[in-house]
Amino acid sequence: MPSYDLCIVIPTLNERENIGILLERLRNTLHDIRYEVIVVDDDSPDGTAAVVKHLSRTQDNLHVLHRIGRRGLSSACIEGMLATAAPYIAVMDADLQHDETVLPEMYRKISSEDLDLVVGSRNIGGGSMGDFSDWRIKLSRLGRRLSGVERHAHLTDPMSGFFIVRRSFFERIAHRLTAIGFKILLDVVLSADGQVRVGEVPYHFRLRQHGQSKLDLIVGLEYLELILDKFIGSYVSVRFVLFCLVGTIGAVIHLLLLGLLLKVERFTFIESQACATGIVMILNYVLNNSFTYRDRRRRGSAFWFGMLSFCIACSLGGIANVLISAEAFRQGMPWPLAGITGLLFSAVWNYGVTAMTTWRQARRSAALRAERRAQASALPDDTPVTATEIRH
Ligand code: GDD
Ligand code: MN
């Protein structure tokens, strides 16, 4: 059995066209290093996992971690990184944007110098952002300032997703990782106790050739979530904080709507209140579904059933809120305190109940979807792997 010196973890989501090319480039670049590859695929609808499994039948050093019902670049990387025994672990994107030809230099650096981490950087001499748009460069800088990463390491490119860590270092900090969002390198550095010994190697960031970037507004918000988790995560669940944040936004909109319906439309109070409550409940559901529970987002018919269960759960929470605060008030509690007690109770209730019902892992519909996809794009297990497929 080979014993690998380097493990390369590659997260994939719809990278069917890129992954074969990347694997071949790695083979051509890393002939002097004993390495293995772990592709962590989140059940890509384009069948990336099936392609990699097919290729792995003729490549002993290629493994797939096929995750079902899961999403997330960082958590994918972490699970891949925990699945190897190699002393050094690299992480790189599958879309050919990271330059694999600098991997040997990164490997040489971390294995010969006393370092925890070597990062591929676009911001030192000899590296570049390529054709990265202006706004993404600015966003990247803002993110760096917000993160407070300077306390742990001097990194010119903390947003990079291209690096090698020493496994012993990674395993030391692994329990503290938040696993939220896109920025695994930042998560690693911010989770370290003190200073991290880092080295950097320049590279040119390439343009994506095939497929699409998964970066969007929500990924940006997840970044803030990662930073928030680093500050408060050990005290209270960030998901709960987000749920309350959505609730607060809902309350403000509720008041505005109520005023509008009363004044402009001249509805009665009961009509206006009922109308505003209904609209805000649905709005809260949509916001929680696309942000707080992005990783378990309900789509298709599950979206509508989810909305129903959310509204039922929150209505019960609302009733309990009124009953509890009324009782507290009757017992002599000052009205602001009684009001807040009712609110807090319903926040915890709504969060707990919807976590167990609305956003419980939707196994059945996921299974149906996967079956349909498998029928459309299956690669039969017994087809021989051809030479051209190995290349692509
Ligand atoms: N398993 C898994 N699950 N993989 C994912 C997911 C996910 O939810 N989302 C994205 N990926 C994979 C993509 O398939 C790709 O291989 C890699 O993660 C990067 O995703 P892109 O969608 O190409 O993101 P990007 O180019 O905007 O950002 C990346 O490059 C930046 C520059 O180096 C990220 O890696 C950033 O962290 C990095 O800073
Ligand atoms: Mn990319």
Side-chain angles (χ1 to χ4, degrees):
M1 278 302 272
S3 132
Y4 300 112
D5 296 323
L6 175 66
C7 170
I8 303 171
V9 173
I10 306 175
T12 57
L13 190 62
N14 293 336
E15 303 287 0
R16 188 189 174 101
E17 289 173 275
N18 293 316
I19 189 69
I21 305 173
L22 176 60
L23 292 171
E24 188 187 6
R25 289 192 187 170
L26 289 175
R27 261 199 308 282
N28 294 336
T29 315
L30 298 173
H31 21 246
D32 303 333
I33 302 172
R34 286 181 300 176
Y35 73 97
E36 67 175 334
V37 174
I38 300 181
V39 173
V40 189
D41 183 71
D42 283 351
D43 207 22
S44 298
D46 77 350
T48 306
V51 170
V52 181
K53 284 176 195 174
H54 192 59
L55 294 175
S56 73
R57 291 176 53 217
T58 55
Q59 264 186 68
D60 286 344
N61 68 341
L62 175 59
H63 318 282
V64 193
L65 217 75
H66 182 162
R67 305 197 306 171
I68 290 181
R70 307 279 305 281
R71 271 295 152 84
L73 175 50
S74 278
S75 71
C77 293
I78 293 166
E79 281 165 38
M81 294 167 87
L82 290 171
T84 182
Y88 301 101
I89 311 170
V91 172
M92 77 187 295
D93 293 350
D95 58 2
L96 310 172
Q97 291 197 276
H98 293 158
D99 181 359
E100 69 290 337
T101 62
V102 301
L103 269 174
E105 194 188 338
M106 289 165 70
Y107 176 73
R108 191 197 47 72
K109 207 172 170 71
I110 196 164
S111 57
S112 63
E113 298 172 27
D114 198 17
L115 299 173
D116 301 315
L117 176 71
V118 169
V119 181
S121 169
R122 300 164 288 190
N123 298 331
I124 44 173
S128 76
M129 283 287 202
D131 286 331
F132 223 37
S133 56
D134 238 20
W135 71 269
R136 277 207 61 177
I137 295 180
K138 286 207 182 96
L139 199 68
S140 204
R141 280 204 203 118
L142 176 71
R144 177 155 134 208
R145 229 171 299 139
L146 275 178
S147 69
V149 63
E150 298 298 321
R151 277 180 290 120
H152 295 276
H154 179 67
L155 284 178
T156 58
D157 194 1
M159 301 299 144
S160 174
F162 186 28
F163 60 90
I164 300 188
V165 277
R166 189 179 292 273
R167 183 166 60 87
S168 54
F169 163 75
F170 176 72
E171 285 177 355
R172 234 179 14 251
I173 57 117
H175 292 86
R176 286 198 290 268
L177 294 165
T178 71
I180 299 171
F182 246 46
K183 295 298 163 194
I184 172 67
L185 173 62
L186 205 62
D187 200 356
V188 165
V189 174
L190 293 178
S191 299
D193 257 340
Q195 285 289 313
V196 185
R197 296 167 302 174
V198 293
E200 292 185 316
V201 172
Y203 80 99
H204 296 285
F205 193 55
R206 301 193 198 115
L207 266 187
R208 188 184 250 279
Q209 302 292 341
H210 309 281
Q212 282 173 355
S213 166
K214 284 91 204 170
L215 188 94
D216 55 16
L217 176 69
I218 291 181
V219 168
L221 293 174
E222 274 181 346
Y223 179 78
L224 298 178
E225 201 184 327
L226 163 74
I227 307 289
L228 189 68
D229 191 280
K230 279 286 159 220
F231 287 109
I232 60 157
S234 39
Y235 306 104
V236 45
S237 139
V238 168
R239 223 199 273 269
F240 180 61
V241 174
L242 293 177
F243 193 85
C244 292
L245 200 68
V246 168
T248 311
I249 294 172
V252 173
I253 295 178
H254 185 122
L255 286 180
L256 292 176
L257 262 178
L258 187 62
L260 209 72
L261 291 170
L262 281 171
K263 292 233 163 58
V264 183
E265 301 294 333
R266 303 202 175 282
F267 284 133
T268 63
F269 182 81
I270 295 240
E271 284 166 352
S272 308
Q273 173 76 349
C275 193
T277 306
I279 293 176
V280 166
M281 208 134 71
I282 290 170
L283 181 77
N284 278 7
Y285 170 69
V286 173
L287 284 178
N288 280 317
N289 193 48
S290 22
F291 185 44
T292 317
Y293 283 100
R294 181 184 196 224
D295 53 335
R296 299 185 199 169
R297 191 188 296 178
R298 296 180 141 253
R299 300 162 201 270
S301 59
F303 175 86
W304 301 107
F305 283 116
M307 185 183 283
L308 187 69
S309 65
F310 182 84
C311 290
I312 294 174
C314 294
S315 305
L316 294 178
I319 294 172
N321 170 358
V322 174
L323 294 181
I324 287 176
S325 50
E327 180 59 23
F329 183 65
R330 209 179 56 81
Q331 304 264 339
M333 196 185 259
W335 68 263
L337 219 60
I340 287 174
T341 307
L343 263 181
L344 270 180
F345 177 86
S346 63
V348 174
W349 163 281
N350 290 350
Y351 176 70
V353 174
T354 58
M356 286 185 295
T357 55
T358 314
W359 288 288
R360 189 171 48 94
Q361 300 278 2
R363 287 222 193 110
R364 216 174 65 86
S365 56
L368 286 175
R369 266 203 312 278
E371 258 167 48
R372 247 176 273 137
R373 273 202 321 261
Q375 276 164 4
S377 71
L379 287 170
D381 267 353
D382 43 5
T383 342
V385 184
T386 62
T388 41
E389 270 178 321
I390 294 175
R391 241 173 281 127
H392 285 284

